Amino acid sequence: MVLTVNEADGVMDAVVAYLKADTGAGGVNTLVAGRIYQDVAPNETPTYPMVLISVLAGTNLMTANREHVWQDVQLLTTVVDRSQSYATVIAINSRLIARLDQYGDVTVSGTYIHKLRPVDVIPRASEYVNGQRYQYRQLRWQSEAEPA
């Protein structure tokens, strides 16, 4: 189960596409009005709530031909809202968990992705920036994947 860095990015691309396709009533894409981003929100003034997805880690191995590859990629999902209440963040996060629990055993862009599994939940957090309160909830996911 070996991934090149580009294949690791393919895992993130596939997960973003999967969540963007969740457009039904109560779907992740519906709950965040399409604001599902890779790594960071766009530069313009962002609107909330949103979901950010990043490649967090992977086992870095070097092959016999000196190529760096990743194995067992980890993703970080972050739900962010600008609010005084965690209610929206918790609702979005619950749907995100339900959808990603159903994800797995698909081939995307030449990469076979096994079922994602949650590794841990980073407890809810909040911060004040310029007098505005932001709420967060993060989860770390493990994805075992290999070239198809």
Side-chain angles (χ1 to χ4, degrees):
M1 291 181 221
V2 176
L3 292 173
T4 66
V5 173
N6 288 338
E7 288 166 334
D9 288 340
V11 172
M12 180 171 60
D13 293 343
V15 170
V16 168
Y18 179 74
L19 292 175
K20 284 190 175 205
D22 188 22
T23 57
V28 174
N29 197 29
T30 304
L31 293 170
V32 297
R35 294 181 293 271
I36 300 172
Y37 306 113
Q38 294 183 8
D39 298 319
V40 296
N43 286 338
E44 66 268 6
T45 303
T47 54
Y48 297 88
M50 70 175 70
V51 174
L52 305 174
I53 301 172
S54 303
V55 173
L56 184 62
T59 305
N60 187 3
L61 305 171
M62 186 175 290
T63 64
N65 64 353
R66 302 185 50 79
E67 179 182 351
H68 283 278
V69 295
W70 283 12
Q71 180 177 350
D72 300 333
V73 171
Q74 292 182 7
L75 299 176
L76 181 69
T77 59
T78 306
V79 177
V80 184
D81 192 22
R82 188 172 59 194
S83 169
Q84 296 296 317
S85 168
Y86 281 107
T88 300
V89 169
I90 290 169
I92 295 166
N93 199 61
S94 294
R95 177 60 180 190
L96 185 135
I97 291 169
R99 291 302 293 153
L100 291 182
D101 276 347
Q102 297 171 3
Y103 187 85
D105 292 344
V106 297
T107 300
V108 178
S109 301
T111 300
Y112 181 76
I113 304 169
H114 298 281
K115 184 171 178 60
L116 289 169
R117 62 179 176 82
V119 176
D120 60 18
V121 176
I122 299 166
R124 64 185 190 184
S126 64
E127 66 181 358
Y128 282 93
V129 177
N130 296 327
Q132 181 63 54
R133 184 175 184 173
Y134 295 85
Q135 310 289 352
Y136 302 88
R137 169 84 34 113
Q138 295 180 307
L139 288 99
R140 189 164 51 107
W141 299 83
Q142 182 79 34
S143 172
E144 297 178 355
E146 61 190 41

